[in-house]
Amino acid sequence: MKSWMLGLFLAVLIAPAGNAGDQFLSFNGGIAVDPVSGIAAGAPVLNVVRNVQPGGVPWHIDRLTADIDVGGRIRVQGRGLLLAGGNGIGTNANQSVHAVLFCGPAATATAHSTDHAGVALAANGDFRIDGTLTPAPPANCATPVLLIVSANDRWFAAGILANDSDD
């Protein structure tokens, strides 16, 4: 009986450590949207990413981190997502955001999204998303792109894929 109890106790201690290995994607850093990516034939070219239109004005983000596990659970923390132009400069424009992970090449990427209702940006642009991607991403997410998107499906920021040397 004592060895059974000891085994159960050790299993409880070891189980949380095993969950850390379930993480399969991590993003460390963010790029905010500039809605225009260039000029062609005298007209602006919109900064469309994976068929998602950009926010209407430039945005700024101080920091973005995200972790996604193999079951599709996602945790995102953003700091300072604020307007970087227009009359509302320096405000959150009363926006709510959600996360969308794209897997696969640009032309055929599949979208995996958190709840479209999203989370409201704080006055200083901070936000936290703790949810589940639907549908769950594949175990091998080729060429991953993480976008932070508004309720009307405009992207405001993108995650930078972490590498092994990131802290």
Side-chain angles (χ1 to χ4, degrees):
M1 179 71 163
K2 285 182 183 179
S3 60
W4 180 83
M5 292 295 280
L6 178 61
L8 180 61
F9 177 73
L10 290 174
V12 168
L13 287 178
I14 294 170
N19 289 339
D22 291 345
Q23 178 179 316
F24 84 108
L25 285 175
S26 186
F27 295 83
N28 189 6
I31 301 165
V33 70
D34 183 343
V36 177
S37 65
I39 304 291
V45 177
L46 292 181
N47 191 359
V48 177
V49 175
R50 300 298 195 266
N51 292 319
V52 179
Q53 297 288 320
V57 297
W59 284 77
H60 166 83
I61 192 161
D62 288 330
R63 179 137 174 80
L64 180 70
T65 58
D67 292 310
I68 304 169
D69 71 23
V70 293
R73 175 107 190 251
I74 182 170
R75 289 171 206 84
V76 182
Q77 185 170 3
R79 296 280 181 245
L81 183 58
L82 299 169
L83 287 172
N87 290 330
I89 194 166
T91 71
N92 67 9
N94 296 315
Q95 291 291 327
S96 291
V97 295
H98 64 279
V100 181
L101 173 69
F102 291 90
C103 296
T108 59
T110 58
H112 311 272
S113 179
T114 60
D115 182 7
H116 277 73
V119 298
L121 294 177
N124 64 358
D126 291 357
F127 65 95
R128 237 176 240 244
I129 299 170
D130 189 352
T132 303
L133 294 169
T134 306
N140 181 13
C141 179
T143 60
V145 172
L146 177 68
L147 295 181
I148 303 303
V149 180
S150 68
N152 65 349
D153 293 321
R154 302 288 181 159
W155 77 273
F156 293 156
I160 298 171
L161 192 60
N163 61 44
D164 291 339
S165 64
D166 288 340
D167 292 328

